[in-house]
Structures are given as C-alpha cells and as structure tokens.
Amino acid sequence: MTALNPLQLLGVDHLLDDEEKAIQETVRRFVDDQVRPHVAEWYEHELDADTVRQLAREAGKLGLLGMHLEGYGCAGTNAVSYGLACLELEAGDSGVRSLVSVQGSLAMFAIWKFGSEEQKQRWLPGMASGELIGCFGLTEPDFGSNPSAMRTRARRDGSDWVLDGTKMWITNGTVSDVAIVWAQTDDGIRGFVVPTDTPGFSAPSISKKLSLRASVTSELVLDGVRLPADAVLPEASGLRGPLSCLNEARFGIVFGAVGAARDCLHATLEYARDREVFGKPLSSFQLTQAKLADMTLELQKGFLLAMHLGRLKDDERLDPRQVSMGKLNNVREALGIARECRTILAASGITLEYPVLRHANNLESVLTYEGTSEIHQLVIGQALTGESAFA
Ligand code: TGC
Ligand code: FAD
C-alpha cells in the first residue's frame, strides 16, 4: 500500500498563500544547502566565530534577519512568513534558528521598537544584512526567570552613563558587534545599546555545553562601561521593554519547535522503513505505528497552533499569554517527539549520524530559554485564575 506523506496528512499546506509557501521553500533550500551538510560537524566541535559570521551574512542575503520588521533594510514580511522561516531553520538546528531569533526578534526588534532614529539608522541596516551581529543581555548569573531583580546597574556620570554588572547565557555574545543590555537605573529598568568594542566590555565564551552546540553562548561582563547619553533606548522604560522583545522571539520558537520535531519524525520514518527486526521492516510493527501516529498528531496540532497564533499576530490581536501557550506546548511536544524518535532508532539514535538526539539535546535549552516551561505554566495559570503564583 502507498504510504502517505505523514507530514501533510492534514493538508496543512492549504493554510498558506503562495508567497508564504515560496518563502518557506527558499529557507528550506538554504537549510538543505548550507546547514544540513555541516551541522553535525558544528555540533561536534562547536560553532566558530567565522562560521557564525558567514551564516549571518547568508541569512542576511535571504532577508531573514529582522524579516518581519519594516524599513531600515528589513524585508517586512508578515508574521506567518517569519514563523515559517523559523520552522525551516530549526529543522536544520535550533542553534541556527537561535542566531536568527536573537538577531532579529531580540536585538534588532529592541532598537526598531524602542530606539531613536539615529540608533535605527546606525545599526539596523548592517544588522539586516548580517554584516553586524547583535546580542540581548537580560539574564544574569543569579536572575534568569526573575529579571526584575537584576543587579546590573547604569548610573549617570555627568551626561554619560556608566554600566557595571554581569549577564549570563547570552546567545551570540562573543561574536557580537552590539549588545542590547538591560540595567537598573534610578528610573527603573532601561535598555542600552552597547558597541562591544567599548572599553570595559568583554564577552567570555561559555563552553562544555551539551546542548545548542551549533550556537555561541557567552557571559557579558560590564566593568565601568562608559556610554554617551544617547546610548539609552529612549522609548523603553521598565520590565515591559525587554518582555515585549521576548514575545517576538517566543513567537518564532512556537514555529521553530515544530521544525525540529518534523525533522526528527522524517528521519525516523525513513529509518523505520529501512530497518528490519525479526525479519520484517520496523515500520510494520503495531507498536512502531502507534508511536508514529501519536507523534504525527502532535506535530500537526503544533503546526495548527502556530498558524493560529501567526494569523492572530498578523491581525495585531496576539496576546502574550497566547504566546506562552504556544511556546509551552510546542517545545514540550517537540522534545517528547525527539525522545520518542530516539527510541525507534535505538542505538543508532544516539549518534550524530541521525538528527534526533541532537534535536532533543537542543530542545532542552529551548524548553528553558525565553521563559522556562514552568514560567509559561504560571503565566497561563495566572490568566486562568487571576492569581499570580510567581512569588
Ligand atoms: P510583571 O510585574 O508581571 O510585569 C512587569 C511589566 O511587564 C509587563 N509584562 C509584559 N509586557 C509585554 N510582554 C509580556 N510578555 C509581559 N509580561 C509582563 C507587565 O504588564 C508590567 O508592565 P507595567 O507597565 O505594568 O510595569 O513582572 P514580573 O517581574 O512578575 O515577571 C513576570 C515573568 C516571570 C512572567 C517575567 O519576568 C518573565 O517572563 N520571566 C522569564 C524571563 C525570560 O523569559 N527570560 C528570557 C531571556 S532572553 C532569552 O532567553 C533568549 S534565548 C534566545 C535564543 O537563543 O533563541
Ligand atoms: P532559574 O530562573 O534559576 O530557574 C531554575 C528553576 O526554577 C527552573 O525550573 C524554573 O522554571 C524554576 N522557577 C523559577 N522561578 C519559579 C517560580 N516563580 N515558580 C516555580 N518555578 C520557578 N538569556 C538572555 O538574556 N539572552 C540570551 O541570549 C540567552 N540565551 C540563552 C541561550 C541558552 C543556550 C540558554 C540555555 C539560556 C539562554 N538565556 C539567555 C538564559 C535563559 O533565558 C534562562 O536560562 C532562563 O530564563 C531561565 O533562567 P535560569 O537558567 O537562571 O533558571
């Protein structure tokens, strides 16, 4: 009997218009040509700075950096197209999607949404082309889920600002030209645009990661970093500023996680068709088919959820609590799929010859960053009960 394409059992492609399909296909080809052939090597040996820069420039050429922003060299696509790009990038590797998310949805978005005209003109065109790389420093060694307690401080000295503190777990940090740093001031939390060649700024690399190895992660150390008065983002005041940026990146992850899960399922289906156990294809056993059916259901439900949120975002009706629902569900289910796929590949599943354990290990980080699964449960819990259970 002919096998149907399990990734299209619900015909979800019909939900996309021609332009969205074309963008998705372009990014899929980019991943096939420029990511898949190298990703196991990047994962094994960790991504080096030159490769990150090259990837950023290639992503810039395709218009993927800040792609849903208008003006300043950005592509200005709709939100669904941005989501589909994240999906295809994360089908390659979560680390590659991270590079694009942090650049576009965190660093560029912060400048685009909260920056002065001069800041936008100075940074955004170079970041859109991938010539300049940005990072986003919110988390600190002692404050991840609770950024409101951050210790990094910006004080006035004449008209200058002087920044002191440490940020932790910062994607792209080591390779960045510009860091968006969030700090306490006498007027609450403010954001600062910090050129990384400013004296007193350093970004020591965090190594020995077992997850997100095809992505650069670092500390940011700010030791008396002196900045001019116009380094502050004028339109961001309070925690609402950085949290608004997180909504953008979390939205990309809702789609991205589906891509990682799809890649796992795809590899597993091929493996199960080819692998014989007890004299028959592994795919012909009921237990295998039950696993494949359940995973396909979750994959398609996750895609439908992502598309629903994408259409709401394009209608400017997306609520951050809905993004929490999408991020919690799709990352949790993608991680479950990656682990279940690994059981079907059995011993072969633990190697880099197949993508499943690489994706599963990556998704452990994705479950934690951009708000842990527990934080998103609490956001949803608060929406349901009206009670805040954070503290
Ligand atoms: P709370 O008192 O609830 O809120 C403070 C102010 O912020 C507003 N707000 C939001 N605004 C926009 N979007 C949201 N999602 C918002 N959530 C809250 C809120 O209305 C209030 O505004 P105002 O004007 O009244 O002051 O704040 P809280 O301190 O109780 O914290 C709430 C909590 C725990 C949900 C929040 O702190 C949180 O989301 N924590 C998780 C931190 C997090 O996600 N960090 C991510 C760091 S970046 C990262 O991980 C990048 S990885 C990227 C990659 O490689 O792909
Ligand atoms: P903690 O906040 O210490 O949490 C520990 C545990 O306690 C978790 O299980 C958490 O869910 C739970 N917990 C916390 N608060 C509560 C509560 N109120 N109720 C119940 N349970 C709770 N950050 C950036 O700013 N920029 C980046 O670019 C960036 N990139 C990252 C890249 C990677 C690979 C990783 C792993 C992280 C990155 N992060 C980045 C940091 C990330 O956002 C934080 O790790 C995350 O917010 C969680 O913080 P934490 O690790 O300090 O955990």
Side-chain angles (χ1 to χ4, degrees):
M1 200 170 155
T2 317
L4 283 171
N5 177 354
L7 308 177
Q8 278 305 330
L9 274 179
L10 284 180
V12 287
D13 262 8
H14 293 298
L15 299 174
L16 307 179
D17 68 25
D18 288 344
E19 192 180 341
E20 290 161 350
K21 283 181 192 162
I23 290 172
Q24 182 173 17
E25 186 51 35
T26 303
V27 184
R28 193 188 308 228
R29 258 186 278 121
F30 166 71
V31 169
D32 283 347
D33 294 347
Q34 307 211 30
V35 176
R36 272 183 212 289
H38 313 291
V39 68
E41 160 83 13
W42 295 339
Y43 194 91
E44 188 169 2
H45 299 294
E46 297 197 347
L47 205 54
D48 62 71
D50 287 345
T51 310
V52 179
R53 291 203 166 277
Q54 194 186 329
L55 264 174
R57 279 194 287 266
E58 294 299 331
K61 272 189 216 152
L62 284 183
L64 301 181
L65 303 176
M67 76 184 271
H68 62 309
L69 307 181
E70 291 284 347
Y72 307 97
C74 302
T77 69
N78 68 1
V80 166
S81 298
Y82 170 61
L84 293 168
C86 288
L87 188 155
E88 293 304 332
L89 292 168
E90 197 145 357
D93 192 88
S94 302
V96 177
R97 195 268 308 135
S98 268
L99 166 67
V100 170
S101 294
V102 170
Q103 176 86 347
S105 287
L106 294 181
M108 290 175 74
F109 181 81
I111 297 172
W112 183 84
K113 179 84 179 165
F114 300 119
S116 64
E117 189 54 34
E118 292 72 32
Q119 288 167 338
K120 293 177 194 182
Q121 298 282 358
R122 174 170 178 197
W123 295 107
L124 291 180
M127 293 172 86
S129 70
E131 288 304 317
L132 299 175
I133 295 183
C135 67
F136 183 90
L138 180 64
T139 305
E140 299 190 351
D142 292 331
F143 304 101
S145 300
N146 181 21
S148 69
M150 68 176 66
R151 291 205 188 102
T152 298
R153 179 139 191 102
R155 61 181 167 83
R156 296 306 297 243
D157 183 21
S159 65
D160 289 351
W161 289 98
V162 180
L163 270 62
D164 287 284
T166 307
K167 297 291 176 180
M168 191 70 182
W169 305 113
I170 307 304
T171 302
N172 296 352
T174 323
V175 294
S176 283
D177 302 285
V178 59
I180 305 301
V181 174
W182 299 93
Q184 298 280 6
T185 73
D186 289 343
D187 300 323
I189 291 172
R190 304 296 304 266
F192 294 85
V193 183
V194 184
T196 55
D197 58 3
T198 310
F201 180 96
S202 59
S205 183
I206 297 175
S207 58
K208 301 192 178 171
K209 289 180 297 173
L210 297 175
S211 170
L212 263 275
R213 290 175 59 81
S215 170
V216 168
T217 316
S218 39
E219 279 179 68
L220 305 182
V221 180
L222 300 124
D223 183 8
V225 170
R226 182 173 289 275
L227 299 169
D230 62 5
V232 70
L233 291 170
E235 304 299 332
S237 177
L239 197 56
R240 179 180 282 278
L243 293 183
S244 305
C245 303
L246 298 187
N247 294 333
E248 299 297 307
R250 289 169 179 172
F251 170 79
I253 291 172
V254 176
F255 276 85
V258 175
R262 188 195 69 192
D263 198 53
C264 290
L265 191 51
H266 196 260
T268 301
L269 274 160
E270 279 187 4
Y271 185 86
R273 283 184 196 131
D274 293 344
R275 175 77 177 170
E276 284 207 354
V277 294
F278 292 88
K280 288 197 306 184
L282 179 55
S283 59
S284 69
F285 287 83
Q286 288 185 345
L287 280 178
T288 310
Q289 291 195 3
K291 290 179 183 180
L292 293 172
D294 286 350
M295 290 191 286
T296 299
L297 276 179
E298 286 310 326
L299 182 74
Q300 302 290 295
K301 280 152 64 181
F303 184 75
L304 290 173
L305 175 56
M307 282 299 297
H308 173 61
L309 299 188
R311 295 291 180 221
L312 284 179
K313 187 163 167 58
D314 278 325
D315 272 357
E316 298 181 4
R317 286 192 295 136
L318 184 61
D319 181 294
R321 295 168 302 181
Q322 296 168 326
V323 180
S324 282
M325 292 174 76
K327 201 252 175 187
L328 173 62
N329 183 77
N330 284 9
V331 179
R332 190 165 63 185
E333 295 306 326
L335 182 56
I337 288 173
R339 287 176 178 154
E340 188 82 307
C341 284
R342 216 285 308 155
T343 68
I344 295 178
L345 272 76
S348 299
I350 72 159
T351 69
L352 275 171
E353 197 177 330
Y354 297 95
V356 294
L357 193 58
R358 173 170 56 80
H359 281 307
N361 283 352
N362 284 341
L363 287 164
E364 295 287 351
S365 285
V366 183
L367 195 70
T368 284
Y369 67 35
E370 294 289 354
T372 64
S373 47
E374 293 81 8
I375 289 296
H376 291 296
Q377 283 175 317
L378 294 177
V379 169
I380 298 165
Q382 185 175 10
L384 290 172
T385 65
E387 304 277 359
S388 166
F390 291 109

